[in-house]
Amino acid sequence: MIEKLIATIQERYAFSEEDANMLRARMTETLEFKPGDIIVPEGEEISYSSLLVEGFSCRSKYTTEGSRQIMQFNIPGDFVDLHSYPLEVLDHSITALTDCRIVKLQHRDITQIIDSNPRLGRILWFATMVDASMHREWLVCFGARAGAMRVAHLFCEMFYRLQVVGLTQGKSYRFPITQADLAQALGFTTIHVNRMLRELRDEGLATFRSKEVEIPDLKALEGRADFDPAYLYLEPRHQ
Amino acid sequence: MIEKLIATIQERYAFSEEDANMLRARMTETLEFKPGDIIVPEGEEISYSSLLVEGFSCRSKYTTEGSRQIMQFNIPGDFVDLHSYPLEVLDHSITALTDCRIVKLQHRDITQIIDSNPRLGRILWFATMVDASMHREWLVCFGARAGAMRVAHLFCEMFYRLQVVGLTQGKSYRFPITQADLAQALGFTTIHVNRMLRELRDEGLATFRSKEVEIPDLKALEGRADFDPAYLYLEPRHQ
DNA sequence: CGCCTCATTGACCTAGTTCAATTTGGGTGG
DNA sequence: CCACCCAAATTGAACTAGGTCAATGAGGCG
């Protein structure tokens, strides 16, 4: 399982076999989490980064009024807190949405890896910048895309991301979250999310039932969502 | 001027004198821009990064419907597109809001610098991660903070950031943008921004007149905005 | 002086929220 | 296998933050 993921990352980020081995050797320790568990707590000094190998988690923050904003969903293959290496302390938490398994990579190992192979450092840096790019696209969604469009955009994003790691089945994929989670991610109320889902369903563009998203015609949904996958930087790199 | 900025960055990011000299030697070429000019265009291959030494610019994207979303304001001292080093191609544009001057740092020089001093690489990486952290806080603002609160939050953020580079005067600072720009950044209409500004003014918390923000009581405004500067990572680092 | 951009205000409209039920479906104990 | 339970989904009705449309001021500058 972890091998398959390393292979995927290897291809996507143009890893050499040597690079992959270097990582492999240092990534053996795993941790497991239950839904609702905090994988990485906000505000604490962190000494290792976590590669999510199984399950779904999310980045989120709470406001002082108690409402929670989800800023990103993490899927298998994501380094959920690689940015804790440069930042040391995170501004937000990572929370498990399902049963999750992560593999640790100690920060001191990252330092060592980068010292001996600066090119790999740039690749790791790249990975964190893709997250930033997603944040920016979400900001566009929040500021300039309303209602069903916003929901549709998220469904497209998740499709592309999950496809890369082989977690789509034809026109559908498993998205193991509740409508309440969805609402916290989209900046809507649960009720409104429900209505927007119905709208997409009625339009025949997408269904979300029993934690499964089905998209009969991806291009059509992309059109509805004003979606362009460029910001995900999925094309293989060539540095 | 650039010396003063390097000094500021030096303190904030724990640069050694040697590091600073290394950068100084490679940052000599400057470019100038007029309001509205595109400093870094979306989607193009980029071979150098730009340190903004004078003026204000912003990160923004356009939707296909033509509306523009501003995702961040850049101020003097910001490496506006350092992330173009790992990404190579940017997902958004950087546009000048006022007369701007930037200093170039070639990507090949960055590679050289990092190869000879990996620690400096981590510092540069850190700088880009602070931008990502700001994006996340903005996402919270969009999803969970409404009306005048959102405006207040931005005013607080700008105060802290400008203070670091010595661009505040007591309780006020110059913020050379229009209410329309403000609206595009906050996800409101110009009209609504105007109303929210009046609200803050009536409450005696902040005024924005002739491109000048005045905050009589910063703590009070922070309370109104649910603002906590931690996400800006302004505390001097200690790696 | 006159123009043009930007700020301001009012009146009306709508997307999204709030409150309050009701339904559905998966899981669990008897 | 059925009865029950509980979380999640769904729907309706009333309300409000924010948008839209339209008009008026106010400042800067050629």
Side-chain angles (χ1 to χ4, degrees):
Chain A
M1 179 56 176
I2 178 167
E3 267 317 306
K4 189 182 158 196
L5 284 167
I6 284 192
T8 313
I9 301 166
Q10 194 173 356
E11 182 203 350
R12 177 165 166 201
Y13 295 130
F15 266 30
S16 73
E17 189 54 35
E18 189 189 355
D19 293 341
N21 280 331
M22 205 165 197
L23 275 179
R24 218 174 260 128
R26 286 174 174 80
M27 301 184 73
T28 53
E29 201 180 343
T30 72
L31 280 179
E32 311 222 332
F33 298 91
K34 289 275 153 205
D37 287 355
I38 293 177
I39 301 178
V40 184
E42 174 180 344
E44 273 182 33
E45 196 92 5
I46 301 170
S47 65
Y48 63 88
S49 286
S50 308
L51 175 70
L52 185 61
V53 292
E54 222 179 293
F56 282 64
S57 64
C58 70
R59 261 176 237 300
S60 65
K61 281 193 190 189
Y62 288 84
T63 63
T64 51
E65 285 95 56
S67 75
R68 178 210 208 190
Q69 179 62 44
I70 292 178
M71 291 152 303
Q72 195 178 36
F73 291 107
N74 311 120
I75 64 172
D78 285 352
F79 258 113
V80 294
D81 66 337
L82 186 51
H83 51 323
S84 69
Y85 172 68
L87 286 179
E88 295 176 356
V89 164
L90 282 197
D91 56 300
H92 63 277
S93 318
I94 314 274
T95 311
L97 293 170
T98 65
D99 286 337
C100 284
R101 189 159 75 244
I102 64 123
V103 180
K104 290 185 176 186
L105 179 58
Q106 295 292 334
H107 285 173
R108 68 181 116 78
D109 284 336
I110 299 182
T111 301
Q112 218 178 74
I113 289 170
I114 291 177
D115 284 359
S116 67
N117 184 349
R119 198 180 141 281
L120 217 142
R122 188 173 173 181
I123 290 173
L124 294 178
W125 187 355
F126 169 82
T128 63
M129 292 326 296
V130 174
D131 287 329
S133 177
M134 283 191 241
H135 292 337
R136 284 189 291 269
E137 189 66 26
W138 278 44
L139 281 170
V140 176
C141 279
F142 276 73
R145 292 198 261 259
M149 204 173 177
R150 200 132 107 205
V151 182
H153 198 280
L154 178 62
F155 283 173
C156 289
E157 173 177 306
M158 294 309 294
F159 186 90
Y160 274 85
R161 293 176 62 199
L162 288 166
Q163 194 173 37
V164 170
V165 288
L167 288 176
T168 52
Q169 298 83 40
K171 294 174 182 307
S172 63
Y173 58 85
R174 191 171 156 66
F175 195 21
I177 65 167
T178 64
Q179 290 188 13
D181 295 328
L182 212 46
Q184 289 171 9
L186 294 166
F188 289 145
T189 56
T190 310
I191 293 145
H192 198 242
V193 163
N194 184 282
R195 285 197 267 256
M196 294 304 104
L197 286 173
R198 176 154 50 81
E199 197 170 312
L200 288 179
R201 201 186 319 130
D202 291 349
E203 293 177 24
L205 289 171
T207 60
F208 178 55
R209 211 176 32 240
S210 44
K211 307 199 183 306
E212 192 91 8
V213 174
E214 191 181 337
I215 304 171
D217 178 353
L218 183 60
K219 289 301 156 205
L221 189 66
E222 288 182 24
R224 181 71 160 85
D226 185 29
F227 182 86
D228 175 349
Y231 75 95
L232 293 171
Y233 290 85
L234 296 177
E235 308 301 320
R237 325 264 346 284
H238 46 69
Q239 351 190 19
Chain B
M1 179 55 177
I2 178 166
E3 268 318 306
K4 189 181 160 197
L5 283 167
I6 284 192
T8 312
I9 301 166
Q10 193 172 358
E11 182 203 351
R12 176 163 166 203
Y13 296 129
F15 265 28
S16 72
E17 188 54 36
E18 189 188 357
D19 293 340
N21 280 332
M22 205 167 197
L23 274 179
R24 217 173 261 129
R26 285 173 175 79
M27 300 183 72
T28 52
E29 201 180 342
T30 72
L31 280 179
E32 312 221 331
F33 298 91
K34 289 277 154 202
D37 287 354
I38 293 177
I39 300 178
V40 184
E42 173 179 346
E44 272 182 33
E45 196 91 5
I46 302 171
S47 65
Y48 64 88
S49 286
S50 308
L51 174 71
L52 184 62
V53 292
E54 221 178 293
F56 282 63
S57 63
C58 70
R59 261 176 236 301
S60 65
K61 280 193 192 191
Y62 288 85
T63 63
T64 51
E65 286 94 57
S67 76
R68 178 208 208 190
Q69 180 61 46
I70 292 178
M71 292 152 302
Q72 194 179 36
F73 291 107
N74 310 120
I75 65 171
D78 285 352
F79 256 113
V80 294
D81 66 338
L82 186 50
H83 51 324
S84 69
Y85 172 69
L87 286 178
E88 296 177 355
V89 163
L90 282 196
D91 56 300
H92 63 276
S93 316
I94 314 274
T95 310
L97 293 169
T98 65
D99 286 336
C100 284
R101 189 160 74 241
I102 63 123
V103 180
K104 290 185 177 186
L105 178 58
Q106 295 293 333
H107 285 174
R108 68 181 116 79
D109 284 337
I110 299 182
T111 300
Q112 215 178 78
I113 288 169
I114 292 176
D115 284 359
S116 68
N117 185 349
R119 198 181 142 280
L120 216 142
R122 188 172 174 182
I123 290 173
L124 294 179
W125 188 354
F126 169 81
T128 64
M129 291 327 295
V130 173
D131 287 329
S133 176
M134 283 191 240
H135 292 337
R136 284 189 291 270
E137 189 66 26
W138 278 44
L139 280 171
V140 175
C141 281
F142 276 73
R145 293 198 261 258
M149 204 174 177
R150 200 131 108 206
V151 182
H153 198 280
L154 177 63
F155 283 173
C156 290
E157 173 177 307
M158 293 309 295
F159 187 89
Y160 274 85
R161 293 176 61 198
L162 289 165
Q163 194 174 36
V164 169
V165 289
L167 289 176
T168 52
Q169 298 83 39
K171 295 175 181 306
S172 63
Y173 57 86
R174 190 170 157 67
F175 194 21
I177 65 168
T178 64
Q179 290 187 13
D181 296 327
L182 212 47
Q184 289 170 10
L186 295 167
F188 289 145
T189 55
T190 309
I191 293 145
H192 198 242
V193 164
N194 185 283
R195 285 196 271 252
M196 295 304 104
L197 286 173
R198 177 156 49 83
E199 197 171 312
L200 288 178
R201 201 186 319 131
D202 291 350
E203 291 176 26
L205 289 171
T207 59
F208 178 56
R209 212 176 31 240
S210 45
K211 307 196 183 308
E212 192 91 8
V213 174
E214 190 180 339
I215 304 172
D217 178 353
L218 183 59
K219 289 300 156 207
L221 190 65
E222 288 183 24
R224 180 72 160 84
D226 184 29
F227 182 86
D228 174 351
Y231 75 95
L232 293 172
Y233 290 86
L234 296 176
E235 307 301 320
R237 327 267 340 289
H238 46 69
Q239 348 190 22

